[in-house]
Amino acid sequence: MCTIKFLVTPQATSIRPSHADLDVAVIGGGILGVSIALRVSTTTASVGLFEADADLAAGASKGNAGVATSYFAPPGTREASYVTTSSPRWEDICGRLAVAFRRCGALVVAFTGEEVEALRGDLELARRAGARAELVDGARARALEPLLSDRVVGALHLPDEGVIDSIGLVFATAELAALNGAKIHRDACVIGLEAQADGTTSVVTTRGVWRARFVVNAAGLGVGEVNRLAGGEPIHVTPRRGQYWVLDRAWEGRAMSTIVVPAVGPGPGTRGPQVVPTISGSILLGPTVDDVDDPGDTSTDEQRLSYAWEACSATIPDVVRGVRIKAFAANRVAIGDESAHLRRDALVPNLFLAANRAIGVSCSPAMAEEMLELLRGSGLDAPDRPDASDRLPGRALDDRDDVVCTCQGVTAGAIEESLGGEVAASSVAGVRKRTRAMTGRCQGADCFDEVCRRIAGHLECSLEDVLFAGVGTEIGMRRE
Ligand SMILES: Cc1cc2nc3c(=O)[nH]c(=O)nc-3n(C[C@H](O)[C@H](O)[C@H](O)COP(=O)(O)OP(=O)(O)OC[C@H]3O[C@@H](n4cnc5c(N)ncnc54)[C@H](O)[C@@H]3O)c2cc1C
């Protein structure tokens, strides 16, 4: 998150917009921000997106499990409606955006008869919420997921759960929004929001000032600060840490097919850490759930990771044979009890909030749609127009001839593609996010040099000037 270098209060009067007017300014380049920008960009409205970090997907959107859930909350809740509206759309959305998605199903597993009885209640709720669900015995559960523990006596089977390349989704969504005409500004931290007499807002960023009719606050852990800058409702955000193990995708030849979640977690009414067969083939074990103080602190700790390891090896005993290649943590945005928040601000009429603690990826299509309805209901007169998806580049991932990252099978073509387009990578971290190069077993030991050389070649800069992430992170590598 950016450091607010100076504060511009709503009362300040000296801000002069240095850029053309926007209908909608979206703050935050995570999955919610880009999804909203994309939806607005398929109307006649002008939209600009402002991201504080050097690249998109800097917050929770780069640290989640990529589960596109089909059931999360009881019927009648806002979350249930977002999930059931979004879930059937994933094949279409990911097909159009060339983002990897697999509907792999999930098993919520029980180890005792008592836990099975409790799952009957979940079955009823899941069905009433609109999800397909069935209760299966241990043998049927093991037929669905052969690596499941012999100790599992029953499970709730949710066949429509899926896994998605959630970081790829952010970039492909932003790419299409940009092709539609949205302006995507990175390294553009919003440091002030000033209400103007004509009802517009001056959006003051570290890259200049824009004037917008509507402002959407999708700043993740920064939503409280952005609302404060705008003079909006106070929002208290608690960062909720989730930690994961990543197991190598080469798992002694054994492949998991289904997401597996213990029915009973550490606290009342909670589930335990999941085992997730990700779209890249690696396996995620986690997450843990702990409230923390510092939103920017994504450190991991051995004790909580051990807990995740043990809980996951109880459901899938074979995980102990897997190679742990990495642990990581990301912080969810906890605001009150609900996961999803989408509303017009009670104090600032042209300010809107979009936030999601636990299922933001899964809800993003429906939340983007509802945000557009809200904006239209508040005076945005912008009919739909066709999008530019026919101009989206294809993915060059299956050219096997020139593999640069052997662990993840990332080709030179895929790296080259990541360095082009409307929302191009310009750093090692940017290439890594878009292609998954350097995220496998060797964590870049074998391919880091080659990736840097290709970035230098593409950008026509010297090798030592290649950036690891943002400004000031030159890798300083010299050519031999
Ligand atoms: C451990 C973990 C596991 C999860 N697993 C899943 C899952 O499997 N499935 C699922 O559906 N969801 C999952 N989630 C939830 C999901 O990741 C989030 O709901 C979603 O990513 C939130 O997206 P966002 O765009 O609101 O926020 P973010 O991705 O956090 O993006 C907010 C952006 O705003 C930027 N920003 C902040 N302040 C400013 C400012 N002043 N100016 C400009 N930019 C600013 C930040 O840099 C950041 O890039 C998980 C979350 C975590 C943490």
Side-chain angles (χ1 to χ4, degrees):
M1 216 176 308
C2 58
T3 313
I4 310 286
K5 296 191 184 81
F6 61 92
L7 298 179
V8 183
T9 67
Q11 288 74 39
T13 52
S14 58
I15 300 166
R16 289 223 188 91
S18 54
H19 295 275
D21 290 354
L22 290 170
D23 288 313
V24 181
V26 178
I27 303 173
I31 188 60
L32 292 185
V34 297
S35 301
I36 292 163
L38 172 59
R39 186 61 189 93
V40 176
S41 76
T42 57
T43 74
T44 53
S46 56
V47 53
L49 180 141
F50 301 92
E51 166 55 49
D53 197 80
D55 207 349
L56 305 178
S61 298
K62 81 161 181 215
N64 59 67
V67 173
T69 193
S70 61
Y71 169 62
F72 177 80
T77 58
R78 184 186 271 260
E79 285 88 350
S81 140
Y82 291 144
V83 165
T84 45
T85 311
S86 301
S87 173
R89 295 185 57 199
W90 286 117
E91 279 84 355
D92 176 48
I93 293 170
C94 292
R96 273 193 322 131
L97 296 175
V99 170
F101 169 73
R102 191 173 69 244
R103 217 174 265 284
C104 55
L107 290 165
V108 184
V109 299
F111 291 97
T112 64
E114 202 179 313
E115 287 176 14
V116 172
E117 279 315 305
L119 284 179
R120 286 188 201 287
D122 291 302
L123 172 70
E124 176 62 20
L125 288 176
R127 285 181 172 163
R128 278 183 32 227
R132 285 201 302 150
E134 59 176 342
L135 210 52
V136 296
D137 63 16
R140 171 77 183 129
R142 272 179 289 282
L144 290 163
E145 177 46 72
L147 295 183
L148 202 61
S149 162
D150 289 345
R151 290 179 44 235
V152 168
V153 296
L156 181 67
H157 179 219
L158 298 162
D160 292 329
E161 297 273 302
V163 282
I164 203 164
D165 172 2
S166 55
I167 300 182
L169 182 67
V170 172
F171 288 108
T173 303
E175 184 75 23
L176 180 53
L179 285 172
N180 288 340
K183 302 289 179 224
I184 310 287
H185 304 279
R186 291 172 279 177
D187 250 334
C189 182
V190 172
I191 51 176
L193 291 158
E194 185 191 5
Q196 300 294 314
D198 63 0
T200 64
T201 294
S202 283
V203 180
V204 185
T205 81
T206 46
R207 286 211 172 258
V209 185
W210 280 257
R211 185 117 95 190
R213 288 181 62 208
F214 299 96
V215 176
V216 175
N217 177 2
L221 289 162
V223 291
E225 178 60 10
V226 167
N227 250 42
R228 193 188 68 72
L229 289 173
E233 292 171 53
I235 301 175
H236 181 73
V237 175
T238 305
R240 188 161 292 170
R241 169 101 35 99
Q243 302 184 42
Y244 285 102
W245 283 112
V246 186
L247 300 191
D248 190 16
R249 62 187 192 145
W251 194 6
E252 296 186 16
R254 293 160 89 82
M256 255 189 88
S257 49
T258 310
I259 300 162
V260 172
V261 194
V264 176
T270 65
R271 305 271 191 234
Q274 336 177 30
V275 186
V276 181
T278 68
I279 209 76
S280 70
S282 57
I283 308 282
L284 285 182
L285 313 182
T288 55
V289 183
D290 296 292
D291 286 353
V292 295
D293 297 326
D294 178 1
D297 180 358
T298 51
S299 56
T300 55
D301 76 85
E302 209 178 318
Q303 195 195 354
R304 300 298 287 142
L305 282 167
S306 298
Y307 155 73
W309 179 257
E310 272 154 33
C312 290
S313 52
T315 55
I316 305 284
D318 258 34
V319 296
V320 299
R321 288 150 48 116
V323 176
R324 284 181 261 191
I325 55 177
K326 190 181 171 174
F328 70 89
N331 293 326
R332 307 169 186 86
V333 183
I335 304 168
D337 292 336
E338 291 178 350
S339 185
H341 301 266
L342 192 141
R343 61 175 182 266
R344 185 181 186 172
D345 193 82
L347 303 176
V348 178
N350 67 342
L351 177 66
F352 298 80
L353 172 71
N356 200 313
R357 183 189 74 231
I359 47 166
V361 179
S362 311
C363 297
S364 53
M367 288 184 72
E369 195 63 47
E370 190 173 308
M371 180 58 79
L372 179 61
E373 281 168 27
L374 207 53
L375 291 167
R376 281 175 167 158
S378 307
L380 179 70
D381 181 14
D384 281 346
R385 64 182 174 98
D387 75 12
S389 47
D390 54 336
R391 288 170 50 213
L392 271 176
R395 293 281 174 266
L397 296 172
D398 47 11
D399 169 12
R400 299 285 114 193
D401 291 343
D402 195 4
V403 173
V404 172
C405 166
T406 48
C407 298
Q408 298 287 61
V410 180
T411 63
I415 290 172
E416 197 57 33
E417 191 177 286
S418 74
L419 293 161
E422 301 288 323
V423 193
S426 56
S427 66
V428 175
V431 169
R432 184 175 60 186
K433 275 184 186 173
R434 286 164 180 78
T435 65
R436 287 196 219 101
M438 301 165 286
T439 64
R441 184 184 282 235
C442 84
Q443 289 287 293
D446 288 346
C447 62
F448 178 81
D449 288 13
E450 185 54 25
V451 170
C452 292
R453 274 175 230 290
R454 286 182 183 273
I455 296 171
H458 187 96
L459 299 178
E460 297 179 351
C461 68
S462 74
L463 202 51
E464 54 200 322
D465 288 338
V466 168
L467 295 178
F468 183 77
V471 177
T473 63
E474 290 80 4
I475 58 169
M477 192 160 80
R478 292 193 189 279
R479 205 179 285 271
E480 294 294 315

